[in-house]
Amino acid sequence: GLKKKAAFVAVRASTGEVLAVVSDPGSYGFDQALDGAFPPGSTFKAVTSTALIDRGLLPSSPTSCPGSITAGGEVFRNAEGDAPVQNLAQAFTESCNTAFIGLATTRLDDASLPAAAAAYDIGKTPAMGLAAFGGDVPTPADQAALAATAIGQGHVLVSPLDMAMVAAAID
């Protein structure tokens, strides 16, 4: 009974081959699974984790998940308050915004997240014979923008295809 737009992309993780693409009938004349440009939200934490690991962190690296955190004068909160996490792996499992913001703003520079996204070809137009949005992860202008980017908000835009390819690459 939901009337929301939906998109799905299935990718063979071993090869990166796109197996299926589905957009709901109300897509307004374009394939939102391939050509849509959406803020990825918490799914982007996989990219942020990559940047943090590239900077020497481990899944066991300590962190916490306070209910809120301030970065660049802007207050960020978790969707569901705080959670008892002790390390990066638990913060990822709980999808803790404040843990990722705290780690990103203390461990990453402005180029880290765009570079990690580029490692997954986000920002590169897919060559598949169909219109497809390659994504955009601009260099954050300040600490508040870095914090927003770390949790897939702010000016970050990707397609469902982009994030399916990230998941396939991590598999």
Side-chain angles (χ1 to χ4, degrees):
L2 293 177
K3 303 283 186 202
K4 295 181 180 182
K5 293 185 241 178
F8 176 81
V9 178
V11 176
R12 185 181 315 277
S14 61
T15 65
E17 175 186 11
V18 176
L19 300 174
V21 176
V22 178
S23 290
D24 78 334
S27 294
Y28 306 106
F30 78 100
D31 189 335
Q32 65 185 358
L34 299 178
D35 207 25
F38 306 101
S42 290
T43 63
F44 197 75
K45 289 175 182 153
V47 175
T48 303
S49 294
T50 298
L52 291 167
I53 290 167
D54 285 349
R55 287 296 178 116
L57 271 70
L58 301 170
S60 60
S61 293
T63 192
S64 62
C65 186
S68 67
I69 190 169
T70 302
E74 189 171 332
V75 178
F76 294 86
R77 292 183 170 72
N78 296 312
E80 301 193 16
D82 57 357
V85 303
Q86 297 177 358
N87 56 47
L88 177 58
Q90 289 176 337
F92 185 85
T93 300
E94 293 294 326
S95 191
C96 179
N97 288 345
T98 58
F100 275 85
I101 290 168
L103 291 170
T105 57
T106 59
R107 303 292 185 112
L108 302 178
D109 60 35
D110 293 341
S112 297
L113 293 170
Y120 292 107
D121 288 337
I122 295 175
K124 180 180 176 185
T125 301
M128 53 188 310
L130 298 169
F133 176 64
D136 186 29
V137 181
T139 301
D142 55 31
Q143 285 287 294
L146 176 61
T149 300
I151 57 172
Q153 297 177 11
H155 297 288
V156 178
L157 294 174
V158 298
S159 68
L161 173 64
D162 287 322
M163 295 315 296
M165 297 304 267
V166 168
I170 291 172
D171 183 52

